[in-house]
Amino acid sequence: VYLETYGCQMNVNDTEIAWAILQRNGYARTKELDEADVVLLVTCSVREKAEQAIWNRLQHLKALKARRQQARAPLRIGILGCMAERLKEEILHREKLVDVVAGPDAYRDLPRLLAVAESGQQAANVLLSLDETYADILPVQTSAGGTTAFVSIMRGCDNMCTYCIVPFTRGRERSRPIASILQEVRMLSDQGVKEVTLLGQNVNSYRDLSEVQFQSAAAPGLSRGFSTVYKAKQGGLRFAHLLDQVSRIDPEMRIRFTSPHPKDFPDEASVLQLIQERHNICKQLHLPAQSGSTRVLEAMRRGYTREAYLDLVHHVRDSIPGVSLSSDFITGFCGETEEDHQQTMSLLREVRYHIGFLFAYSMRQKTRAYHRLQDDVPADVKRRRLEELIAAFREEAARANAALVGQDQLVLVEGPSKRSASELCGRNDGNIKVIFPDAELEDAADCGAPGRARPGDYVVVKVTSASSQTLRGVPLCRTTLSRAAAC
């Protein structure tokens, strides 16, 4: 089987789950497309551009499949994930190219679906589940020996933002039991993984209801000035409890999480307090804004105003000094005016994010926007506004990064720099890429024994220059996460 992943980090994790299931059932993995008997594409449906990449890829595979039928056993092609969920009929009937279609909750069924495809029939399962979390499937890491890993803690989403296809492709929100998550993180620690990112569509609404004694807890409050379209849920162990437990497993393992929803940082701020207190929980937070205009935010059903969002940003910065912020923005949403766009520009400049994910709006079928609103911002206006947002973001990110010049940063080494074999690349606590020369280093934790840094090592780097996306510096020494925190 040959696996190819498109889209978000959740899809990376889905690829690992699908591979774990296939491996149990006697499949071998190949990284060479020409060796494959089965090609599985794990797909994304969030934007039209993502889906178009899959249709283009299928055209390439069509030629490969035609050649294969003349040479040996026919090649089987499968579409997995969100696009399979959204476009099952079209995928199966368009040029009869695809043999297997499996939605995000149907990966357990892959061996049966592939067996049906072996007989020459098309096979599909796109049933969404109310309880499937793959809690008993320990994902097989796709990058063996890697320093970082993603751990899924929940699936689906209940927020029903008007622009978003996720509730329709991944179903309703359900959380994976804490015991299962801790088991996976311990396994990753034993394998030498040095950074884990907890994944979910809305991680800070996590709640484990797997045991009776977990079900009596009160529902948490929302952040001041925030609202939700769904009824507050009772009971369950919350995200702060999970974060506390995960961070205790390995003091040398960094913990990140994505993506939280701004509304789910309650006033007692236990999550923010944990980030501030624990040396191995990264001082970095993803706060998806989507727009800087209260009018557009209301049309998106985000549940907050511009003012409430900015209040939260100030609260976060007061609670976690030096925190690094990232965000998502959509430009050109239904009815967005030039004034709305300028408000988003000003929010971007006021907050000054280190990392940003910016996109032009892409109307998706099934969403509330598709049924209730008009996609009335012309494509050329969307492009122009997106270019302006990107330019403003880069300018502010460059300023934010420039403030780090002269400081020492603790960097987790990931490997050689893509541009130079004589340089190493890693990320600091704020998830910003740091490039530095590959040189002999003293080891601050081991009586000064010199040596070169390897992937998985922590290196103290003095920052000498910065751009909007990268820091550069000189390495000072190797160390450990605990020692660096103590210093």
Side-chain angles (χ1 to χ4, degrees):
V1 62
Y2 177 89
L3 287 150
E4 206 164 85
T5 310
Y6 295 79
C8 68
Q9 294 159 330
M10 289 293 286
N11 283 4
V12 174
N13 188 254
D14 274 13
T15 303
E16 294 170 351
I17 289 169
W19 169 226
I21 290 166
L22 291 172
Q23 192 179 48
R24 283 185 187 180
N25 284 269
Y27 281 81
R29 180 94 179 261
T30 179
K31 293 187 177 180
E32 301 298 327
L33 185 57
D34 287 339
E35 291 179 357
D37 305 299
V38 176
V39 174
L40 299 177
L41 310 183
V42 183
T43 63
C44 174
S45 235
V46 170
R47 285 171 291 279
E48 191 175 346
K49 186 177 179 182
E51 289 186 352
Q52 192 54 52
I54 302 299
W55 290 122
N56 295 342
R57 184 59 166 154
L58 286 174
Q59 288 304 308
H60 174 258
L61 293 175
K62 182 180 180 181
L64 183 64
K65 190 170 187 177
R67 290 200 305 273
R68 185 68 57 82
Q69 281 170 331
Q70 297 163 4
R72 61 180 199 261
L75 180 68
R76 303 297 177 200
I77 296 173
I79 297 290
L80 277 52
C82 293
M83 190 170 164
E85 192 68 43
R86 194 178 94 78
L87 295 172
K88 171 194 163 186
E89 300 296 334
E90 188 176 350
I91 290 168
L92 287 173
H93 297 141
R94 195 159 157 176
E95 300 163 16
K96 304 285 184 187
L97 176 65
V98 174
D99 304 285
V100 167
V101 174
D105 291 346
Y107 300 143
R108 290 182 196 274
D109 202 23
L110 274 173
R112 182 190 69 83
L113 295 173
L114 288 167
V116 171
E118 283 295 315
S119 69
Q121 299 172 270
Q122 288 182 312
N125 182 347
V126 292
L127 292 175
L128 285 174
S129 167
L130 291 174
D131 53 15
E132 177 63 89
T133 62
Y134 300 107
D136 60 322
I137 307 284
L138 284 178
V140 177
Q141 294 297 305
T142 49
S143 54
T147 59
T148 64
F150 300 117
V151 173
S152 175
I153 67 168
M154 60 200 302
R155 298 179 76 81
C157 187
D158 287 348
N159 284 315
M160 303 300 287
C161 301
T162 52
Y163 55 82
C164 188
I165 193 71
V166 166
F168 304 98
T169 59
R170 288 189 169 267
R172 304 308 295 269
E173 187 178 286
R174 62 271 189 205
S175 299
R176 180 178 168 191
I178 281 183
S180 163
I181 298 166
L182 297 180
Q183 180 190 5
E184 184 177 345
V185 175
R186 285 189 198 100
M187 178 190 77
L188 292 169
S189 172
D190 291 344
Q191 291 173 1
V193 169
K194 289 296 178 65
E195 182 178 292
V196 159
T197 302
L198 305 177
L199 287 182
Q201 246 69 46
N202 185 16
V203 290
N204 52 347
S205 65
Y206 173 91
R207 59 187 197 121
D208 179 7
L209 291 164
S210 63
E211 296 185 31
V212 173
Q213 69 264 30
F214 297 168
Q215 297 178 13
S216 58
L222 297 175
S223 304
R224 279 188 300 270
F226 289 71
S227 62
T228 176
V229 298
Y230 60 80
K231 186 179 177 182
K233 300 165 186 175
Q234 296 293 322
L237 291 181
R238 311 298 304 192
F239 182 61
H241 183 91
L242 171 66
L243 193 58
D244 171 45
Q245 294 297 305
V246 168
S247 68
R248 292 176 187 274
I249 288 173
D250 182 348
E252 290 302 310
M253 177 189 274
R254 275 180 173 171
I255 309 298
R256 301 187 190 276
F257 58 88
T258 196
S259 175
H261 192 292
K263 72 175 173 21
D264 293 307
F265 286 99
D267 289 336
E268 70 265 27
S270 50
V271 169
L272 300 181
Q273 189 177 341
L274 270 173
I275 296 172
Q276 196 273 324
E277 289 176 355
R278 298 284 162 86
H279 76 272
N280 62 335
I281 303 179
C282 292
K283 311 298 182 277
Q284 176 241 330
L285 208 54
H286 188 63
L287 285 180
Q290 306 302 0
S291 174
S293 160
T294 294
R295 198 184 67 80
V296 172
L297 289 168
E298 187 176 347
M300 290 176 164
R301 291 219 298 189
R302 287 292 289 170
Y304 51 86
T305 61
R306 173 195 177 95
E307 290 72 27
Y309 180 87
L310 283 171
D311 283 348
L312 175 62
V313 168
H314 296 317
H315 177 50
V316 166
R317 285 192 161 141
D318 288 344
S319 304
I320 312 168
V323 67
S324 169
L325 296 181
S326 57
S327 193
D328 298 332
F329 285 93
I330 297 170
T331 190
F333 185 65
C334 308
E336 183 187 73
T337 65
E338 199 61 32
E339 169 61 24
D340 295 325
H341 169 60
Q342 291 305 322
Q343 287 184 36
T344 301
M345 291 277 285
S346 71
L347 181 79
L348 243 171
R349 291 195 180 280
E350 183 172 345
V351 176
R352 189 172 286 176
Y353 302 95
H354 283 91
I355 299 168
F357 303 92
L358 294 79
F359 302 98
Y361 174 62
S362 178
M363 176 76 86
R364 314 312 289 136
Q365 288 180 347
K366 295 186 180 179
T367 61
R368 186 180 176 87
Y370 179 79
H371 292 295
R372 305 280 182 94
L373 303 174
Q374 266 192 306
D375 187 7
D376 54 1
V377 179
D380 60 330
V381 175
K382 286 181 184 176
R383 275 195 300 275
R384 190 256 303 163
R385 288 179 184 171
L386 179 60
E387 287 167 4
E388 290 176 5
L389 281 182
I390 290 171
F393 160 73
R394 286 184 174 159
E395 199 176 307
E396 297 304 328
R399 285 199 180 107
N401 288 345
L404 299 175
V405 172
Q407 293 186 17
D408 292 353
Q409 296 287 304
L410 185 65
V411 178
L412 175 60
V413 180
E414 294 176 355
S417 165
K418 288 180 180 177
R419 295 190 177 179
S420 171
S422 64
E423 294 182 313
L424 292 173
C425 176
R427 290 183 185 273
N428 70 354
D429 190 82
N431 212 21
I432 303 164
K433 187 184 290 186
V434 183
I435 308 289
F436 58 94
D438 181 5
E440 288 272 316
L441 295 173
E442 297 294 307
D443 192 328
D446 190 26
C447 306
R452 292 184 182 276
R454 298 186 302 273
D457 285 348
Y458 290 103
V459 173
V460 179
V461 176
K462 182 176 281 296
V463 180
T464 55
S465 65
S467 69
S468 63
Q469 297 179 52
T470 309
L471 303 175
R472 284 185 168 274
V474 292
L476 302 181
C477 63
R478 286 180 296 159
T479 186
T480 65
L481 193 54
S482 303
R483 186 183 178 90
C487 292

